[in-house]
Amino acid sequence: MRTGRLLLLSTLTLASCGPLAEEEAVLGERTDALIVDADADGIDDAFEDQLAAKFAPEVRLAPLSIDWTRPANVDWYLARVHMRFDHSGCPDCQVLALATPTQSNLSTQSHATKGTFCGHTSTVYSSNTSRKEFFLQPPDDAVHNGAPSTEWKVYVHSKKSALVAGGYDLQYWFFYPYNDSYASVNHESDWEHITVTTDSAGNFYSAWYAAHSGGKRYTASQLKWNGTHPIVYSADGSHASYPTAGTYPTEVPGFDDHSYEGGPVWQTWNNWVNVGEKGAPRNGQNFIKYGGRWGEIGETDATSGVQGPSFQGSWNTY
């Protein structure tokens, strides 16, 4: 039988200097028949899960007195929203009633557009394509506060890295029901992320911390660590990711981001799930097939709910 190579990560001996002090990984032999790749991303599922757990970040949130918006998880949110369809210039239509959206039915909906005099036309859109007319809407503002800390969950997407030959990218996606930014530039739903890149042996190479429409890449020495877990500071209101507490300029001059010490510490390795790929979700995470918005539609794109991770450009880049 032809033999394939699979990296077996050893138990780590952790020191204060973080992942640079870890033990060498051990290469072992496994037969191809034992390699499982349910999401067809070219990476053994067990191996990508090992890496996901190893580098799951510690997220430090602003104190409640500064930022009242907290994370949640997909199922918690779906149980508190309904799905609607936006008709520009005409009343919205309800697609799924309150508390009935589920991971199973989220991406299986369809709805017709409207034409003259707000009558439906023969043009029908599906919720499993990139259609921003579909949106999820809470019935009241209470959902904006987020879930209890025991319900916070991080969603992991693994892929082969385009940055490092033979390396891997581990994306950690955080969901917030609300983005409370400057002035009136607020919107329901916020999907934020960081991407940890490793070499071919699964050793840390760098990390991309997303911030608004951009972000920055950091080396190990530029980050703070809890063992092998990089520390992420989630900015007040916007939830952009930064390596330390402090003030950070944004793309808009005069409007800075602020991150703080003293708030909740979210150790994401205690509650995470690997979502797989859009065409082959893992662990029942079918929400990644939904192409609509995760919050209501505002007057502009900047004040409207965002699309989910797999319909964002960073899903396949960084």
Side-chain angles (χ1 to χ4, degrees):
M1 178 178 290
R2 187 166 62 88
T3 302
R5 304 286 295 185
L6 176 67
L7 190 71
L8 302 178
L9 295 178
S10 62
T11 302
L12 302 177
T13 302
L14 304 176
S16 60
C17 54
L20 301 183
E22 68 191 43
E23 296 179 1
E24 292 296 321
V26 179
L27 284 173
E29 298 286 343
R30 273 182 76 178
T31 63
D32 290 344
L34 295 178
I35 294 176
V36 176
D37 184 17
D39 53 358
D41 61 2
I43 312 171
D44 179 82
D45 292 345
F47 178 50
E48 63 181 75
D49 285 353
Q50 282 181 310
L51 292 182
K54 177 181 176 182
F55 294 115
E58 176 176 291
V59 180
R60 297 188 179 179
L61 305 168
L64 186 62
S65 60
I66 296 172
D67 184 7
W68 52 271
T69 60
R70 292 298 186 233
N73 70 68
V74 166
D75 297 294
W76 180 93
Y77 188 67
L78 294 182
R80 291 162 174 79
V81 299
H82 53 172
M83 181 189 286
R84 298 177 66 77
F85 189 91
D86 175 59
H87 293 290
S88 181
C90 302
D92 297 335
C93 290
Q94 179 162 277
V95 180
L96 291 172
L98 181 63
T100 65
T102 66
Q103 295 240 15
S104 298
N105 66 22
L106 201 61
S107 62
T108 62
Q109 305 306 307
S110 60
H111 197 75
T113 61
K114 286 184 177 179
T116 306
F117 304 117
C118 294
H120 284 102
T121 71
S122 59
T123 302
V124 176
Y125 293 138
S126 298
S127 63
N128 64 351
T129 59
S130 183
R131 299 305 322 183
K132 294 182 179 180
E133 294 89 350
F134 291 96
F135 66 99
L136 302 175
Q137 184 178 31
D140 55 61
D141 292 347
V143 178
H144 296 168
N145 295 327
S149 59
T150 54
E151 299 282 350
W152 300 349
K153 181 178 288 187
V154 69
Y155 297 88
V156 183
H157 172 229
S158 306
K159 61 188 179 67
K160 292 185 176 181
S161 177
L163 179 66
V164 179
Y168 305 96
D169 287 341
L170 304 157
Q171 294 184 331
Y172 298 90
W173 289 87
F174 322 115
F175 176 67
Y176 298 80
Y178 199 75
N179 177 298
D180 184 31
S181 191
Y182 283 99
S184 60
V185 187
N186 305 322
H187 57 83
E188 288 183 337
S189 81
D190 202 14
W191 280 101
E192 299 291 342
H193 78 285
I194 71 163
T195 300
V196 171
T197 298
T198 77
D199 63 18
S200 60
N203 299 309
F204 181 88
Y205 179 82
S206 66
W208 173 268
Y209 280 32
H212 305 287
S213 60
K216 187 174 180 180
R217 188 169 293 280
Y218 298 95
T219 63
S221 62
Q222 294 175 304
L223 298 174
K224 296 168 112 177
W225 295 85
N226 180 351
T228 59
H229 306 288
I231 293 174
V232 179
Y233 287 82
S234 180
D236 168 26
S238 75
H239 311 126
S241 296
Y242 297 105
T244 61
T247 299
Y248 294 87
T250 68
E251 300 96 327
V252 182
F255 293 91
D256 297 331
D257 269 337
H258 303 277
S259 54
Y260 299 87
E261 295 281 11
V265 175
W266 179 17
Q267 296 181 332
T268 65
W269 55 92
N270 292 321
N271 193 8
W272 62 274
V273 62
N274 193 321
V275 301
E277 298 296 330
K278 193 187 303 182
R282 288 185 59 196
N283 303 307
Q285 301 306 299
N286 293 299
F287 78 87
I288 63 171
K289 298 190 291 185
Y290 167 62
R293 297 180 184 271
W294 285 76
E296 69 177 340
I297 297 178
E299 293 186 3
T300 68
D301 201 55
T303 59
S304 299
V306 301
Q307 290 176 286
S310 61
F311 286 86
Q312 296 191 23
S314 50
W315 179 261
N316 289 315
T317 52
Y318 46 74

